Amino acid sequence: QVQLVESGGGLVQPGGSLRLSCASSGRTFSRTTMGWFRQVPGTEREFVAAISWGGTLKDYADSVKGRFTISRDNAKNTVFLQMNSLKPEDTAVYYCAGGGGPRSQKMGDYDYWGQGTQVTVSS
């Protein structure tokens, strides 16, 4: 069974930075696309970023392009989301997703999900 565990969330001021990590216990980590989604209570979970298993293909939501960077370390079964220039509208629970196909941006494309980590951007 694949388990995904996110960490790195917290409270940050506008303009600040956070780095989220997602550790996987599954042996299939290195062969699938990994993604990050976020959700505000009362709204649908939305795509943030995705990275191919080789790390060469990266996709981002328009709202985070130029500010967020997704990366992965297959040797450590970990995917990262570096978030810079954070805005109050980035406040959400961030979820790691695994098992996606090439360039997956839909929730239904992913087989595994973490429990989420809260990111709050506020002064």
Side-chain angles (χ1 to χ4, degrees):
Q1 183 177 359
V2 175
Q3 287 188 316
L4 302 177
V5 179
E6 303 98 335
S7 61
L11 173 65
V12 63
Q13 293 186 341
S17 298
L18 281 175
R19 189 192 195 204
L20 304 184
S21 299
C22 172
S24 170
S25 62
R27 61 182 181 275
T28 61
F29 174 88
S30 65
R31 295 295 178 182
T32 67
T33 293
M34 298 294 294
W36 287 96
F37 288 73
R38 65 187 182 186
Q39 187 171 23
V40 175
T43 68
E44 292 187 355
R45 195 170 297 185
E46 65 174 5
F47 170 76
V48 175
I51 185 169
S52 62
W53 71 268
T56 55
L57 297 176
K58 301 179 183 180
D59 292 296
Y60 298 93
D62 288 342
S63 59
V64 306
K65 280 181 182 177
R67 300 187 298 122
F68 291 11
T69 302
I70 190 170
S71 61
R72 66 192 294 166
D73 184 340
N74 288 343
K76 297 181 178 179
N77 288 351
T78 304
V79 63
F80 305 97
L81 185 68
Q82 177 66 43
M83 305 186 295
N84 298 329
S85 302
L86 282 161
K87 305 175 181 179
E89 50 263 44
D90 294 318
T91 296
V93 177
Y94 283 70
Y95 295 90
C96 175
R103 320 208 77 152
S104 297
Q105 299 188 20
K106 298 179 181 179
M107 285 185 60
D109 293 337
Y110 291 86
D111 297 322
Y112 310 107
W113 292 87
Q115 293 300 307
T117 185
Q118 176 70 46
V119 171
T120 302
V121 184
S122 175
S123 56

